[in-house]
Amino acid sequence: MTRVFNFSAGPAALPEAVLAQAAAEMLDWHGTGMSVMEMSHRGSDFMGIHAEALADLRELLAVPANYKILFLQGGGLGENAIVPLNLMRGKSGNQNEADIVITGVWSEKSHLEAQRYGKMNIAASAVDTGFTAVPVVESWKLNQNAAYLHLCTNETINGVEYHFMPELEATHGAAFKDMPIVADMSSHILSRPVDVSKYGLIYGGAQKNIGPAGLTIAIVREDLLLNDASETRAHSMCPSVFNYKTLADTDSMYNTPPTYGIYIAGLVFKWLKAQGGLTVMETHNRAKAALLYGYLDATSFFESRVNKADRSLMNVPFFLKDESLNAAFLQGANEAGLKQLKGHRAIGGMRASIYNAMPLAGVEALVAYMKAFERAH
Ligand SMILES: Cc1ncc(COP(=O)(O)O)c(C=O)c1O
C-alpha cells in the first residue's frame, strides 16, 4: 500500500489513523456484526455514536450551552439557501434583508443564492483586489435592518482567511452590537480555536477538515431560532429537513441523518482530542503554513498573490512566474506522490490545501520538490 500526500481542497485527506480504524470496524462495529452504515439511526448503537460525536465537537470548540450543534445535509452551498430561509426574517419577523462581505468565490456564491430569498446588501467586496484581501472592517457599509451579516472566514479558492474577529460595536457603533455574524467556516473549521460566542451561526461542509462529503455541521445560537413572538424564525417555505428549529428540537434526527459521515467525523474528533485539541492543531497548522509561505516569499520563481495579513493557513494558492511550466510542475509533483496541486479553474495556478490531516512531512516534501523544480528550470 502506498499513501500519497494529498493536497486536495476537498474532499480532502483524512488522518490515516482514522481511516485505519474505520477499515478495522467496517464489517463488525464493536461486536454488533454489522457496519455503522447498516445500523438503524434510531438504535442505541448509532445513538451512542451520534451523542459522542456531538459531545466531542462541543468540547473541542468549547461551544457554549446556549448553542445547538446540528448535523445536516446539503453542503456549504445548501447553507447558502438554508441560512436565509432560517434567519433572514429576523427578530421582528419581517426584516427580509441581510449584509454580506464578499472576499472570494464562495461568498460571491452565497450572495447570489441568498438574494433569491430577500435583499442582500454588499457591505464590502474585495473584487477590486482580485480577491486577495479582506476589506478593512472600518470600510464595511453595514445596514441596521440586516437580520445578520454573512462572512466566509476562509475562502478556499482564493486563499484568503480572516485572522481577526470583527467587533462591529467598536467599528460601527452600538446599533450593531447585536448583529448576528454568520460564518461559512467550511475550509478552516477545527483548524484552530474560535470564540463561538462571537458568532450567531457557524457552518461548514465536512469534506475538508472533518470527514466525508455528505455531512454539514451548523452551530447556531438558540435565540436565533425564534422571532420576537417566540415563533420559528424560519420562512414558511423552508423545508422541514432544513429548519434549524426542527433539527434542534429533534437532535438532528428529524429524518435519517448522514450516519456514516457522523461516525467518521466522530473518529476525527477523537483523533483531534488525542493530538491535544485545537490549540495544538493551530501550532501544527501555523508551522506548516510558515514553511510554505516562507519559501514562496524567498523565491522569485513562484509567487503568492494574497495580502500577507490575510493569507489562509489552510489553502495556499501559488503561481509559477513562468506559467508555461505549469504542466511540467504538476506532472513532476504527481510522480513524486504530491497529488491534487492544480489550482481551482476560477484562478488557475497551483493550490496546496494543508488541512489538519496533512502532516508537516507533506509540506516539507512539497517545498523540497518546489526547490528542486526551481533549480532544474
Ligand atoms: C468555503 C466554502 N463554502 C462552500 C463550499 C461549497 O461546499 P459544498 O460543495 O459542500 O456545497 C465550499 C466547497 O469547497 C467551500 O470551500
Side-chain angles (χ1 to χ4, degrees):
M1 182 194 73
T2 314
R3 296 273 300 164
V4 297
F5 289 123
N6 176 3
F7 293 93
S8 168
L14 286 172
E16 210 170 299
V18 165
L19 296 175
Q21 185 175 344
E25 295 177 345
M26 175 60 85
L27 296 181
D28 178 8
W29 183 83
H30 295 202
T32 55
M34 62 177 88
S35 165
V36 173
M37 248 182 280
E38 303 168 302
M39 286 175 185
S40 162
H41 60 295
R42 307 217 182 262
S44 60
D45 289 324
F46 182 75
M47 295 286 272
I49 291 171
H50 187 258
E52 238 176 88
L54 279 173
D56 285 338
L57 178 57
R58 190 172 284 279
E59 184 185 330
L60 278 166
L61 270 173
V63 178
N66 62 325
Y67 283 71
K68 294 282 188 190
I69 301 179
L70 312 176
F71 290 153
L72 65 163
Q73 303 187 51
L77 290 191
E79 290 301 314
N80 287 344
I82 297 167
V83 171
L85 279 166
N86 276 280
L87 301 186
M88 214 189 230
R89 294 201 312 168
K91 244 172 132 161
S92 66
N94 57 16
Q95 276 166 265
N96 295 324
E97 54 184 312
D99 285 358
I100 187 162
V101 175
I102 302 186
T103 43
V105 171
W106 293 111
S107 43
E108 206 165 41
K109 282 189 196 287
S110 297
H111 172 240
L112 287 175
E113 179 73 9
Q115 67 182 9
R116 301 173 59 203
Y117 302 97
K119 188 163 169 255
M120 287 300 286
N121 312 299
I122 300 179
S125 169
V127 68
D128 292 349
T129 69
F131 295 132
T132 54
V134 177
V136 285
V137 184
E138 285 75 6
S139 73
W140 297 1
K141 294 197 168 45
L142 300 177
N143 160 23
Q144 283 190 31
N145 193 46
Y148 58 87
L149 167 66
H150 185 124
L151 309 175
C152 176
T153 47
N154 188 61
E155 289 280 358
T156 321
I157 293 174
N158 306 87
V160 170
E161 180 170 7
Y162 284 70
H163 293 289
F164 62 94
M165 179 68 216
E167 299 288 353
L168 302 182
E169 187 184 4
T171 52
H172 289 74
F176 294 93
K177 178 169 174 277
D178 295 323
M179 168 83 66
I181 295 182
V182 169
D184 174 359
M185 293 197 184
S186 293
S187 49
H188 72 161
I189 190 167
L190 298 178
S191 65
R192 55 178 160 97
V194 293
D195 183 350
V196 175
S197 73
K198 304 261 188 196
Y199 297 86
L201 168 71
I202 290 170
Y203 70 81
Q207 69 271 22
K208 297 158 197 304
N209 224 3
I210 297 179
L215 167 66
T216 311
I217 290 177
I219 303 171
V220 59
R221 211 176 66 213
E222 270 170 351
D223 63 282
L224 298 179
L225 303 176
L226 299 175
N227 61 22
D228 275 341
S230 295
E231 293 157 350
T232 174
R233 204 175 276 202
H235 193 282
S236 58
M237 296 298 279
C238 179
S240 305
V241 292
F242 294 142
N243 184 311
Y244 292 148
K245 172 87 172 60
T246 305
L247 286 161
D249 289 346
T250 55
D251 221 0
S252 303
M253 288 278 192
Y254 175 73
N255 70 331
T256 315
T259 54
Y260 201 74
I262 291 170
Y263 158 70
I264 298 284
L267 296 183
V268 171
F269 300 152
K270 294 244 181 275
W271 178 82
L272 287 169
K273 283 172 63 177
Q275 304 304 301
L278 301 191
T279 308
V280 172
M281 292 321 295
E282 175 171 12
T283 306
H284 290 322
N285 288 327
R286 285 193 183 281
K288 289 183 288 177
L291 182 61
L292 185 47
Y293 285 119
Y295 172 58
L296 289 170
D297 287 341
T299 173
S300 53
F301 192 82
F302 298 95
E303 64 173 332
S304 156
R305 296 176 183 167
V306 178
N307 184 29
K308 278 190 183 168
D310 304 314
R311 285 171 168 179
S312 170
L313 301 184
M314 296 284 100
N315 309 99
V316 184
F318 62 91
F319 299 83
L320 281 84
K321 284 276 174 62
D322 177 0
E323 299 230 51
S324 71
L325 293 172
N326 282 357
F329 178 83
L330 285 169
Q331 191 188 332
N334 264 320
E335 286 163 12
L338 306 168
K339 302 288 181 175
Q340 311 212 55
L341 281 165
K342 189 166 186 216
H344 190 277
R345 61 189 181 283
I347 64 167
M350 308 296 151
R351 174 177 48 172
S353 294
I354 49 177
Y355 300 118
N356 285 339
M358 174 61 65
L360 180 63
V363 181
E364 285 169 348
L366 172 61
V367 171
Y369 167 71
M370 289 166 76
K371 285 182 177 167
F373 189 86
E374 176 176 355
R375 276 194 303 274
H377 295 84

